[in-house]
Amino acid sequence: MEKFNSDTALRHAQSLPSWKLDAAAGTIDREFVFADFVQAFSFMTEVALAAEKHKHHPEWSNVYRTVNIRFTTHDAGGLTSLDFIMANLAEKAYGRFAPQPGREATQP
């Protein structure tokens, strides 16, 4: 994988407005909040299966109903197309597991 330059990374990041680009560190980050732990863990499972399929694994953490994900391509020393592919897959998964309008998130 070829590392993106700053302009290319910014252009790709603009298609993912909920993600934070750190061009200097070569990472994109996002926090996902769910109704409960089961939804958060289900989301993580789906993303984990996609990560295994693409052989590109996130740096992430989970606390109750919140999942934080960071993507970077360590082998390339920064962001590559694979990071944005995985971010888009995470967004699609979030759409399936995120709290729905009219359904209140449970309190921790």
Side-chain angles (χ1 to χ4, degrees), residues 7-40:
D7 291 336
T8 303
L10 179 60
R11 192 170 57 251
H12 279 79
Q14 288 172 338
S15 70
L16 295 165
S18 297
W19 289 75
K20 294 178 189 168
L21 169 67
D22 184 338
T27 61
I28 51 174
D29 299 87
R30 175 137 162 37
E31 179 177 272
F32 298 88
V33 179
F34 300 88
D36 55 30
F37 176 76
V38 172
Q39 283 187 357

Side-chain angles (χ1 to χ4, degrees), residues 3 21-29 70-74 77-79:
K3 178 182 168 183
L21 169 67
D22 184 338
T27 61
I28 51 174
D29 299 87
R70 170 175 289 156
F71 282 111
T72 188
T73 302
H74 296 285
L79 292 165

Side-chain angles (χ1 to χ4, degrees), residues 48-95:
L49 292 171
E52 191 63 20
K53 178 180 175 184
H54 287 85
K55 304 215 181 307
H56 192 65
H57 304 91
E59 298 173 19
W60 58 5
S61 65
N62 165 239
V63 177
Y64 183 55
R65 63 187 190 122
T66 303
V67 177
N68 289 289
I69 298 181
R70 170 175 289 156
F71 282 111
T72 188
T73 302
H74 296 285
D75 292 345
L79 292 165
T80 67
S81 61
L82 202 45
D83 298 302
F84 292 95
I85 289 168
M86 289 303 303
N88 275 298
L89 290 170
E91 286 297 318
K92 288 178 183 173
Y94 185 60

